[in-house]
Amino acid sequence: MTKINKLVMKGFKSFQKKTVLPFFDGLTAVVGENGAGKSNLFDAITFVMGRRSSQLRADRLEQLIFNGGDKRGPSDSAEVILHLDNSDNVFDPFLENGEAPLEVRLSRRITHSSSTYYFMGKACPRKMIDDILEAAKIDPDGQQLIAQGSVTDVIKRSPIKRREIIDEICGISAYDKRREKAIAELKQVKSRLNTHRVVLAERRRRLLSLDKERADALQFQRLTAEQGRLEESIHHQKRNVAMEKLGRAQEKRSEIAESVSQLESTVKNLDLEVENTEWAIEGMEEKMGGEAEISLVKEVEQIRSQITNRQGEINFKRQQVRNLEEMIKEVARIKAEEAARGRTGTKRNRAVEALLKRKRGGVYGTVEALGRPHSGYEVAFDVAAGGHINDLIVDSRETAIECINYLKQNRLGRARLLPLRQLLTPRKSLASADAVKLPGVIGYAIDLVDFDAKYKRAFEYVLYDTIIAESLEALQNIEGVRAVTVDGDLQSKGGAITGGWRPGKKQKVADTKKDGGFDTAEKRRKISKLNKEIRQLEDEVHKLGAKLETKGAELAKKKEETSLIKGQATGKNEQLHTAREKRRKAYRELENLRRSLSRYEREEAQAKTELESLGKEGHDPSYYIEGTLSVLSQRIEKNRKQLRLLEPVNMRAIDEYEQYKKDFDLFRDRVHALEREKREIELMIGQIEKRKREHFSNTLQAITVQFNRIFSELFQGGSASLELKEPADISSGLLIKANLPDKGPHLLDSLSGGEKSLVAIAFILALQDYQKAPFFILDEIDAALDVLNASRLSNILQTYAKRIQVIIVSHNEETIRQANRAYGVTMSDGVSQVLALNLN
């Protein structure tokens, strides 16, 4: 339940200096001599809540500003800040960015020319303050804030005005408005009934004349729509073929890549085996004095190994050149076909499009639409966002759930939504913080995208600690970090690298042969670079061959000299020969696998290019018509002949007929509906009156029960009741009847001032019990009470203080004695001060 945590004043009435007054649970008493300013604390609280100056014992707002004195100058402004408890989260709907503090601040500041309200330190309209107080069941003009001298106002009111308090509490005005609206609607229904009958007869004649033309138009429309479906189905069949081709290529590439990895491991082990065997032979020959020959053998084998490796690199690079040249030709072919078809671009996610077209509040747009990458980083942004590029940013989880339900109900597909208030954004890792400092690393991806600050949580969720680098080479020493290059290559946190050629978006390359995102000039530069590397490797092979020939001759001569010693190492040499032969076969098999891998990589790239040129699917699978390409083409030609036979067709007849048919049905139904509506309105008027009377009676009865209970506690007996002046008429005045103990029934006018105050207090407390007020603030309501009655009032207030917060301004000793804590208000040189009092 809401309570007041603290009151802060500066320059308000007699409080010139900044005064901070904390409040706690229980009963708090504010005491002080008359004129010391204790009632100004009550005025300060109601001032923040929006009471007018006339309710604050001032003719104008500026009179609430400290006006100085003999020794002090006047203040320029007055400000009051009210701290309210938010442990039950009642104020959360008014907070921004998902905040949920344990305390909120309402404040109001006035100068001699302005009055401004604030919520959590930010200026806001008066209406917002009213809404905030209403949410916490705080009524600034209600009976939970009783100003000095106003406790008996409810007693002095006329019975009619007194009954209006009950009307306001139970919402009777809402019933009266509904009844007046129902009567006005009844009058309109009768007038509309006669008019619609005339219109209905006229439209029936027009509807019959459109029926024939409509039938032909519908047949023409059906055939035209089927033509579109047939064309989309042909496109769908072509895309399925490309998908199957891509699947086969990806499956074979994956299998071969795994085999390459395993074979590379085998080759590495064979290299190690050969090297170990060579070292073993060398050890044997060292014992026999053949160190020079072993050294030559090792050197020759190293040269041979180098030649084999260089030759393998030459073959692999030649295959890369062939692949690149074939890709250039294939892309040129596909783009030529695309140009011939006259179709480019892709389609958006159908579900996302449907949600955006609704224009529902709280649905902001896609990640792609709301983010603007810096120039030159468009491709990097697309890759960094990945599958989130079409994610839809919304304000809350409730909006996201409503959108998902909408897609389900309308069978519109699937979409991923990012509710800003619920998104959990990970912190940047230490590894990424170190990586952005390295050469070649441009920075975090999120810093290279412009977006509105309100969407920051969504972009942090999508991009988190992804970094942007100039190239894959710049990422050589970076591990455990998700990174994207400017060209769109991707390195995952686990180390996997994804890259190669891809159609780009907004890539800026000078090559005029560039087309559809495939950088032809860049590929040709790469071919030139590979050819240069091949020539360099061939030169190295030539030099190594010459060196091998020289070293081989030296080795042959050395072998003749040490043939006897070599006989003892025959077994090891045979083992070495076997290992070398295995290694040679493994290298050959590895080259073959690499060539196969390149071939399937090329097929995969070609299939992806075909799919991109065909675009994305625009419909659900059920939309497409089954059949082969030949059958679908025959159906298209057949439909064309039928369409020519139907021409000319008045297509407007469909809309005109539907409109007239719709109007006809509407007016026909309204003739019957208006009669039912007339009877229903008449019945509703009677029900409104019945419910109004029942609701008022229930509310009056509930308040009367509480009034009688509180009255008996205050007067230590007796009884009291609230009754209508005319029991059968809820618009008559409200009478308060009091039966004091040992005195019998009394009229209110015959009661003493203290007794009237107690009756008024009992009535006020009964009203607030019904409304469940979160706290009471009472200003000298015990002023007219004697010691005995003040003690009774204090006891009942202490009872209330056990469940809600009670603050009372008083100078009655009995009231102060019952308080849990007390503040004293004194005045010096015209300035009020507050002191905490010890009640022990």
Side-chain angles (χ1 to χ4, degrees), residues 202-338:
E202 179 64 26
R203 293 194 175 184
R204 180 183 287 107
R205 288 190 294 270
R206 175 59 179 161
L207 189 66
L208 294 174
S209 66
L210 288 172
D211 190 31
K212 175 66 173 62
E213 294 180 12
R214 170 180 171 275
D216 291 341
L218 287 174
Q219 175 69 358
F220 187 89
Q221 189 180 63
R222 183 190 66 78
L223 291 173
T224 302
E226 187 174 294
Q227 289 292 82
R229 286 187 64 196
L230 288 168
E231 292 173 356
E232 290 281 353
S233 298
I234 290 175
H235 178 273
H236 174 67
Q237 291 291 354
K238 291 180 178 179
R239 199 174 193 283
N240 285 344
V241 172
M243 286 288 291
E244 291 175 1
K245 180 180 177 182
L246 176 62
R248 289 193 299 271
Q250 287 177 333
E251 182 179 1
K252 294 297 293 183
R253 176 187 56 75
S254 178
E255 292 176 359
I256 295 174
E258 184 177 355
S259 298
V260 167
S261 177
Q262 294 175 353
L263 194 54
E264 285 175 345
S265 177
T266 301
V267 168
K268 183 177 179 182
N269 292 333
L270 287 172
D271 285 339
L272 183 61
E273 181 182 348
V274 169
E275 184 178 354
N276 290 338
T277 305
E278 290 173 348
W279 278 104
I281 293 173
E282 182 179 353
M284 292 172 60
E285 294 189 354
E286 280 180 357
K287 294 179 181 179
M288 296 183 292
E291 296 179 358
E293 184 177 349
I294 293 174
S295 178
L296 280 172
V297 170
K298 183 177 179 180
E299 188 171 359
V300 167
E301 289 305 319
Q302 287 178 342
I303 294 172
R304 285 176 178 166
S305 178
Q306 290 174 356
I307 291 173
T308 302
N309 289 336
R310 298 295 190 281
Q311 193 62 49
E313 291 183 29
I314 289 171
N315 293 338
F316 183 67
K317 291 183 182 294
R318 283 175 178 167
Q319 184 63 43
Q320 284 184 301
V321 170
R322 289 194 291 272
N323 290 346
L324 288 171
E325 290 175 344
E326 290 179 8
M327 288 171 67
I328 291 172
K329 292 179 182 178
E330 182 66 16
V331 170
R333 180 187 68 77
I334 291 172
K335 293 305 177 182
E337 292 178 359
E338 180 182 356

Side-chain angles (χ1 to χ4, degrees), residues 773-787:
F775 55 76
F776 283 146
I777 303 178
L778 311 170
D779 189 4
E780 296 193 17
I781 64 169
D782 55 358
L785 302 182
D786 55 21
V787 174

Side-chain angles (χ1 to χ4, degrees), residues 713-716 752-755 757-758 781-796 810-818:
E713 291 184 31
L714 288 174
F715 284 94
Q716 296 294 298
S752 66
E755 290 171 338
S757 293
L758 286 181
I781 64 169
D782 55 358
L785 302 182
D786 55 21
V787 174
L788 178 59
N789 288 331
S791 176
R792 293 174 179 174
L793 174 61
S794 299
N795 289 332
I796 197 170
S810 175
H811 49 71
N812 192 302
E813 293 183 1
E814 290 299 322
T815 302
I816 298 169
R817 185 178 295 112
Q818 291 291 335

